[in-house]
Amino acid sequence: MAFEPSRTVSESSRTVSGPSRIVSESSRTVSGPSRIVSAWRPAVEGVVEVFHARFTEYAYPMHVHDSWTLLIVDTGAVRYDLDRHEHGTPHDTVTLLPPHVPHNGSPVTAEGFCKRVLYLDGTYLGDEFIGAAVDRPDLRDPLLRRRVGQVHGALGRPGEELEAESRLLFVGERLRGHLRNESAAARPADPVLARRLRELLDERITEGVVLREAAGLLGAHPAHLVRAFSTAYGIAPHQYLTSLRVGRARRLLLEGHAPGEVAAAAGFYDQSHLTRHFRKLVGVPPGRYRSG
């Protein structure tokens, strides 16, 4: 798994009181092969902290967090106690630890483990779900696990906040379904709402829009907004907006503008953000497209 050395911090400061103690993105490094960690706070509502770690020898003592802990393990496994019951986190499981409930954690084998964690506030899960999470912290759900991984991928790429927020909405919805013991049900289509969101995205190609703002403007829940759009057009809102931005970038490049200028004019975070999506949708990087 990938780590970000510029945001690497010491794990020792967070084992007693959780992510609330890390309040800035200032870098603090820890050397040695047994602990490699990376932590940052993204500009996405509901996410208190993103935390990636590889541990081989370290064991967490009993501690609590004041936020929800959403954990996936990429290699190895973690053994932990929650509410005086022993649990484990194999790689195909999503683990959800509720706030204010003591737990610990240690590697199952000498090889240790790699984990990715989202610390979430009450935006997606309220305190009414704490009891159910204590009873069922480990969720075997391949789709949920894949979606959590996609959230991490989006959060690790500057400029992809809309994608991260969209994916996180569905993660929250699926988590609530598990905690309520609900089965997935078909949702009615809403083409009028989908069209209104498309028109809003068409107007905001450069500046963009976050889902919470769009939901307020259109009078709909963010999750319903994304679902209605995806059902109507077969593409998620963030993918649609990216397509519009790449289309604008193509026109500007053909007019002779340099890729660095085009990135900002088309609504991308920076030139590398433009290049990543341009190559994905067009097949070649912007510079080669412009010179070809």
Side-chain angles (χ1 to χ4, degrees):
M1 62 181 289
F3 293 92
E4 306 188 18
S6 63
R7 301 184 220 172
T8 301
V9 300
S10 169
E11 173 64 9
S12 60
S13 64
R14 68 179 65 242
T15 54
V16 176
S17 59
S20 59
R21 293 188 58 177
I22 304 299
V23 296
S24 71
E25 293 185 349
S26 59
S27 179
R28 278 175 288 168
T29 355
V30 57
S31 60
S34 62
R35 305 181 196 179
I36 302 176
V37 303
S38 177
W40 70 98
R41 178 173 293 173
V44 174
E45 184 177 7
V47 182
V48 176
E49 181 186 335
V50 184
F51 181 61
H52 295 178
R54 180 169 70 235
F55 291 146
T56 55
E57 300 172 356
Y58 182 72
Y60 291 95
M62 292 299 291
H63 63 288
V64 300
H65 299 296
D66 57 6
S67 55
W68 291 86
T69 302
L70 184 62
L71 162 72
I72 56 176
V73 175
D74 294 306
T75 61
V78 180
R79 181 221 148 269
Y80 69 94
D81 297 300
L82 178 72
D83 194 38
R84 298 180 297 279
H85 292 88
E86 184 174 331
H87 300 273
T89 60
H91 71 277
D92 60 346
T93 298
V94 174
T95 296
L96 180 66
L97 304 178
H100 314 302
V101 180
H103 60 276
N104 56 14
S106 60
V108 172
T109 68
E111 287 72 29
F113 60 86
C114 290
K115 69 174 183 176
R116 287 178 287 170
V117 184
L118 296 176
Y119 293 106
L120 306 174
D121 64 20
T123 301
Y124 300 99
L125 294 168
D127 288 349
E128 68 271 19
F129 293 108
I130 290 179
V134 170
D135 295 336
R136 300 185 303 279
D138 299 315
L139 308 172
R140 289 190 176 240
D141 181 340
L143 177 59
L144 175 61
R145 195 196 186 287
R146 184 166 68 251
R147 286 181 170 176
V148 173
Q150 290 169 338
V151 172
H152 278 280
L155 289 171
R157 299 188 298 266
E160 303 296 353
E161 288 78 15
L162 179 59
E163 177 184 351
E165 189 179 7
S166 299
R167 295 192 182 283
L168 191 54
L169 281 168
F170 286 121
V171 166
E173 186 175 65
R174 199 162 182 91
L175 287 171
R176 292 190 297 272
H178 274 289
L179 297 175
R180 291 174 178 145
N181 278 324
E182 295 176 348
S183 58
R187 305 298 177 90
D190 195 338
V192 174
L193 180 63
R195 176 180 54 78
R196 293 175 63 203
L197 176 56
R198 187 193 68 194
E199 292 170 350
L200 178 62
L201 294 174
D202 290 343
E203 295 171 0
R204 300 279 196 95
I205 295 177
T206 303
E207 61 270 37
V209 61
V210 296
L211 283 175
R212 298 284 170 180
E213 180 188 3
L217 292 171
L218 301 178
H221 189 278
H224 180 55
L225 202 58
V226 175
R227 192 179 299 280
F229 190 94
S230 301
T231 300
Y233 299 113
I235 189 173
H238 71 271
Q239 294 173 312
Y240 177 80
L241 181 59
T242 297
S243 299
L244 295 180
R245 288 172 169 172
V246 169
R248 175 171 289 184
R250 293 176 74 155
R251 292 191 294 274
L252 292 172
L253 289 166
L254 292 178
E255 290 173 4
H257 296 281
E261 301 172 357
V262 169
F268 290 97
Y269 180 81
D270 55 20
Q271 187 172 338
S272 64
H273 188 207
L274 163 65
T275 299
R276 180 170 65 250
H277 287 293
F278 198 94
R279 186 194 298 269
K280 185 176 181 180
L281 292 181
V282 182
V284 294
R288 183 174 171 187
Y289 176 85
R290 178 172 177 256
S291 63

